Amino acid sequence: MTSLRLPMTGGCQCGRHRYAVTARPLTLYACHCTDCQTHSGSLLGMSMPVPRTGLEADLDNLGSWVKTAANGRTVKISFCTDCGIRLFHEPARNPAIVNVKPGTLDDTSWVAPIGHLWLDSAQPWFEPPAGVLRYSGQPTSFDELFSRFYAMFGTDER
Ligand SMILES: [Zn+2]
Ligand SMILES: [Zn+2]
């Protein structure tokens, strides 16, 4: 089992917005849906859900817009209005969590997705690493993603 060092700090690319994660994240996964490909400008997006109470960030001073998915669910997307970097996604259906974009952490050396979502729309040349959880679309439950992460990073190091 690996220890996570808390708090984790991060920020946008220009340095205007900084944040700290003070609670253990619930999981960390990669998503290959076309929305994530678009917003990352790359082959996938990554999400690290954290308890809202465990995120210190100046959410009011970030730019934001609300995206509605095909299934009608909405997510508030927060970004730096100077450099455009996305920092957080807040799902309306679960106000207790905020999805931090883990590529914006200062230390990404430990960042490795526990699972890969929406592999049906992944780039055809992409093959998930051995041992990760695989989902063709949206998982019906995140329990496996949570328990696998907890098994790897169950203890906090402060
Ligand atoms: Zn910025
Ligand atoms: Zn996605």
Side-chain angles (χ1 to χ4, degrees), residues 11-17 79-85 87:
C12 68
Q13 209 157 28
C14 76
R16 177 176 165 198
H17 292 286
F79 54 90
C80 173
T81 53
D82 285 346
C83 69
I85 296 296
L87 296 174

Side-chain angles (χ1 to χ4, degrees), residues 46-98:
M46 286 195 296
S47 284
M48 183 178 79
V50 304
R52 179 176 288 269
T53 53
L55 176 67
E56 291 173 9
D58 192 8
L59 288 166
D60 291 341
N61 284 319
L62 288 160
S64 68
W65 71 288
V66 175
K67 182 174 80 71
T68 303
N71 59 15
R73 289 176 178 169
T74 58
V75 59
K76 181 186 167 205
I77 291 157
S78 296
F79 54 90
C80 173
T81 53
D82 285 346
C83 69
I85 296 296
R86 286 187 191 215
L87 296 174
F88 313 116
H89 285 192
E90 299 169 70
R93 71 193 159 91
N94 191 354
I97 65 142
V98 178

Side-chain angles (χ1 to χ4, degrees), residues 31-33 36 118:
C31 180
H32 298 257
C33 80
C36 284
W118 286 97

Side-chain angles (χ1 to χ4, degrees), residues 26-27 29 47 49 73 93 99 117 133 135 138-148:
L26 302 171
T27 188
Y29 59 88
S47 284
R73 289 176 178 169
R93 71 193 159 91
N99 284 318
L117 281 54
L133 299 168
Y135 303 90
Q138 188 72 14
T140 49
S141 160
F142 274 64
D143 289 352
E144 250 185 333
L145 290 156
F146 294 156
S147 59
R148 179 77 66 96

